[in-house]
Amino acid sequence: MKLLARASLVLICLLAACSDEAVSEDLKISVPEVVGAYKSTASVRADRRLFDGAPPVMPHDNFGANCISCHNRQGMSVPGIGFAPPPPHSNTAPPSAMSRCQQCHIAALSEDLFRENSFVGLRQDLRKGERQNSLAPPVIPHQVLLRENCAACHTGPAAREEIRCSHPERLRCAQCHLQQRSASEFMR
Amino acid sequence: MNEQNPAEPQRREFFKQIGAAGVVAFSARDEARLDKLVADGAMDAPQDDLNWQKAPCRFCGTGCGVMVGCKDGKVMAVRGDEASPVNRGLLCVKGYHLPAMLYGEDRLTHPQLRDGDGWKQISWDEALDLIAEKFSSTLEENGPESVAVYGSGQWGVHDGYAALKWVKGGMRSNNLDPNARLCMASAVMGFMTQFQSDEPMGCYEDLEAAEDFVLWGNNMAEMHPVLFSRMLENKRLNPGVRIVDIGTRRTPTSEYADMYMEIKPGSDLALANGVLHLLLKKKQIDRSFINENVVFKRGIEDLDEIGYGCYGENAEKYTFKDKASDSSLEELETFLADYSPEKVAEITGLQAAQIEALATMYGDQGRNTLSLWCMGVNQHTRGTWMNNLITDLHLITGKISRPGNNPFSLTGQPSACGTAREVGTLSNRLPADMVVMNAEHRATAEKIWGLEAGTINPKPGYHAVDMFRALSRGDIKAMWIQVTNPWVSMPNLNRFKRSPGDGRFIVVSDIYPTPTTDVADLILPSAGWVEREGVFGNTERRTQQWQKLAEPPGEAKEDAWQIMEVAKRMGMGNLFPWPEDDWHEAMFEEYRSFGLGIGKDLASYKELRETRGMIWPVVDGRETRYRYAAGFDPYVKKSKGVHFYKAKGYGEKAAFWLRPYHPPAEVPDDDYPFWLCTGRVLEQWHTGSMTRRIKQLHQATPTAYVEINRADATRLGIKSGDRVRLKSRRGELVLPAAVDGRGKPPAGSVFVPFFDESLLINDLTLDAMDCISKEPDYKKCAVQVAKA
Ligand code: SF4
């Protein structure tokens, strides 16, 4: 029984895969010109954090201004500099647990190294959002905590096309996308 | 990554796996695009999942839970552990950068012996034999007072316990002290003098339950960031929450304060007495609580008799001992006559109205009040007194041992509580609040350790500062230093300069070379953090265990193992009778037996393995969130209220101590007109030996700097980044200025962080100490400031 189910699933998947080219042409998301204009490349993104999941360093000087004046709910394009994306965290307005941005995001004041370091960190893996089948919504392959505002990374002019959401008008992401967790996370 | 592009086989493997599971992950278009990213080296090929396991953070005393992602014996990532009740998934920037801490390229990987000006690699057997030989011969020739072990609040419980057993039970010496003497000793003595049992009564849930937060000299935003976040989240949900920041300079913490109280250095003693004065005057004290639960005590108050331990008669050996006498509420009233708001305003530099506002907070029975403190109060020439006074405020108002109402001392190091305080790796202590001076306590320890009666030496050993003075004098001839960097962190460093070949033998175990390994005779490579199994105890009495998750580099070994191997070679193997490959649980269970049934019950090793830590006392598998409180603490038999059952010497009541104001040891004058305060910064852990090797953390704070007030800077012609010369009576240093940086000292004072081993501010600091705890005061001395 189980085997049969699995076989038919594979068949469906194969069919889906065969017809994929045609379908995806039709469904191609149309994006306005500016979208992606401020997107950093994957390697620039990787350079800004110790490993995938670590908080990015500030890619600009510490302006001394309140971070959320530019990194606000919509984000802000700053001509000549780039796009200040919205924070992926909820409740960043002070006072709140998330309001001290410098607790995690720091700016480099120097390019020197104190000593060489050979750490090799986890890199981003855009294939991790597995689907049960080609029509199923992908699971969320990363921690949701601190990334509650899905729109920050999955929509907007800085969103990478690999993870850009095709349906930003649907606001309750968690209705279809579930966080993947490991067993050890359920320990007391 | 991917230079050789190993992506292809991995990728096929990945698709094979998901194919077998009947899942199709991507469309052909996606696949092509992602393939290109992998080929460009911009993205990883699909990776095998990392193995994610729990561990506490290696850095501060908050003790955040992290999930550690490992692969092939290496740590590759961490994330905040959402299941941890400490941090609920959030970390600070140090925590997020933990993984790189283990992979600095200059990790120590082999034992090295000094060889002329250089080093020669030797085997573990040679190294261990040599230590055993040196310690044995020193013991024989010069007695137990000539050997010493200087440890750490960053030792795991096993390391500290092994050291304690070896030093006190094996070598019959008490010269064992941790760097925690430099950070927590005043808090220990505070709790011991008042409750006869160490460590706070509350837990982190206080951060949600409190309504008024009083931060005494505590830059929580940088030093306990995740706890600070919890407090701010409380304020978000409950806008009525108020935060008072009492400090000697504006810090990132002050930005979130509802009231910032800038006091003159050392005048916190007067402020606390001023608040007590007002509470009594306005009758805002809880008389029935006092009658039932409090006794009044007074100690020696004569300034000349007490001194500061750094100059005059006690410049070499500081042996002051306090003596308690009985006092009363009536006497307190007379005693406090000196602390009227006007008088206190004069000493502290505050306005009388601010003092009244603070008193109103403590006196308001309708609101929950939490006092928080750390180094500002502990590193203080009257640090124990100041600890006493803060707790006094809670005793006199009855705001103690209730959710949201507690004096809550924050610890600096990840296991200052778990190892230094609970195991008792201090020169006078044994596990579970016991001391070597007490015959019964010694007998208990000897029994558990299976030693002959009379083995343990009843005379306390050297405390940290004295230990290094004794080393300089030559009274200590063999010393072993583990997990700490005293040649950066001791005050008045010039006093401890040493040249190898001076007839002393110094062993240093560490994971990286430091200024301390530079002066060693023998360097041992240690396994760090999750490269070994261990246990830490955090600020809220939570004991946390982790498994070995990664492989140590080269021949690096854990600290406890190093000690046990030396002990065996000295014929003290009987102290460590466990099988070589399986001793962690057995050792912990033996250690745990010290506290069972006396209110210091730790959770079993098994429980610790299976949980995200447990808050002691743990009785029948249940934690105690509020000590001494009916309904929370299983040792309290009353149906309501509190019972300070550990304070046998005070009739099971808490002691309220009358403590006066004393001025600091060195005060600015015409020659040295500025105050110098030193401390830490968010990005760096202590002396920076780990955090500076992490690119992101180092680049954010590449060097030490001196924070200086804008008015002073303008007057002296100094701009941010200019080189400034600081000079004290002990040393001098040139470093860059920071005007209006993250911290803003008031006119007449400067601040310098101590993490930078190439800009050693401790060449300038004073080695004045707290009279009772012997913890040095790094926060107050006098300097000159000039543009260099
Ligand atoms: S707050 Fe302390 S324990 Fe938590 S992540 Fe930061 S350094 Fe580690």
Side-chain angles (χ1 to χ4, degrees), chain B residues 427-446:
Chain B
S427 58
N428 55 340
R429 286 173 73 107
L430 292 165
D433 290 338
M434 300 197 299
V435 290
V436 296
M437 299 82 85
N438 182 313
E440 248 174 70
H441 294 177
R442 290 197 303 276
T444 307
E446 282 154 358

Side-chain angles (χ1 to χ4, degrees), chain B residues 413-467:
Chain B
Q413 303 189 72
S415 199
C417 282
T419 306
R421 297 165 74 164
E422 290 160 24
V423 175
T425 59
L426 293 122
S427 58
N428 55 340
R429 286 173 73 107
L430 292 165
D433 290 338
M434 300 197 299
V435 290
V436 296
M437 299 82 85
N438 182 313
E440 248 174 70
H441 294 177
R442 290 197 303 276
T444 307
E446 282 154 358
K447 187 157 160 258
I448 293 177
W449 288 344
L451 298 173
E452 246 174 71
T455 303
I456 297 172
N457 190 333
K459 188 169 165 258
Y462 294 113
H463 55 78
V465 175
D466 261 4
M467 190 184 274

